Amino acid sequence: MVNSENKIRQAKFTGVSGSSSRNMHKIMIIVDDQNLGVIEKINYHREWGFQIIYILTDSAAIKAQFQYRSRVYSIKANIRSLLRHDIVDEIVCCVSSLPDGYLKELSDI
């Protein structure tokens, strides 16, 4: 009985109940090799309440490592088109350099 109460208390505190995807904050992450650790931390810390729906990258290593856990696309993918298929709560951009106008395009979306 105490164990159940602890789980309920934890769910109320974090806003997340176990690993239920209903309560997860769905994100698209734009990442390069230098920021690979961000994906790993988000995936490790499920209690943070984030679920990576899309990874946009030009890194072959990231594509190979995460292709079976998330939908991985090129950084040049049509973001508007992707967002027509899934609801994403946030776009997280973790890259060391971006093409001209990329942040403007993200803010317009």
Side-chain angles (χ1 to χ4, degrees):
M1 188 71 148
V2 174
N3 195 13
S4 297
E5 289 176 6
N6 285 339
K7 285 183 181 179
I8 292 169
R9 202 172 297 125
Q10 179 184 3
K12 286 181 180 177
F13 177 75
T14 63
V16 177
S17 176
S19 62
S20 172
S21 62
R22 288 190 318 255
N23 298 322
M24 300 298 279
H25 193 77
K26 296 178 180 180
I27 63 172
M28 171 186 288
I29 187 164
I30 304 166
V31 67
D32 59 13
D33 282 324
Q34 295 175 352
N35 295 290
L36 170 62
V38 174
I39 297 173
E40 292 171 340
K41 282 186 179 184
I42 290 170
N43 284 334
Y44 180 78
H45 290 284
R46 302 295 291 170
E47 74 275 10
W48 290 352
F50 295 107
Q51 178 184 14
I52 299 173
I53 301 295
Y54 292 108
I55 297 173
L56 274 59
T57 188
D58 287 335
S59 165
I62 292 173
K63 287 177 183 178
Q65 185 173 351
F66 294 99
Q67 67 183 340
Y68 299 111
R69 292 191 253 170
S70 296
R71 288 172 250 163
V72 182
Y73 293 91
S74 166
I75 200 166
K76 295 174 184 137
N78 185 329
I79 294 173
R80 288 182 196 271
S81 177
L82 294 175
L83 294 177
R84 286 187 197 118
H85 300 285
D86 288 293
I87 295 172
V88 173
D89 298 307
E90 298 285 337
I91 298 175
V92 178
C93 190
C94 299
V95 292
S96 49
S97 65
L98 290 169
D100 290 338
Y102 197 86
L103 287 179
K104 170 75 170 115
E105 180 183 343
L106 283 179
S107 66
D108 289 346
I109 293 171

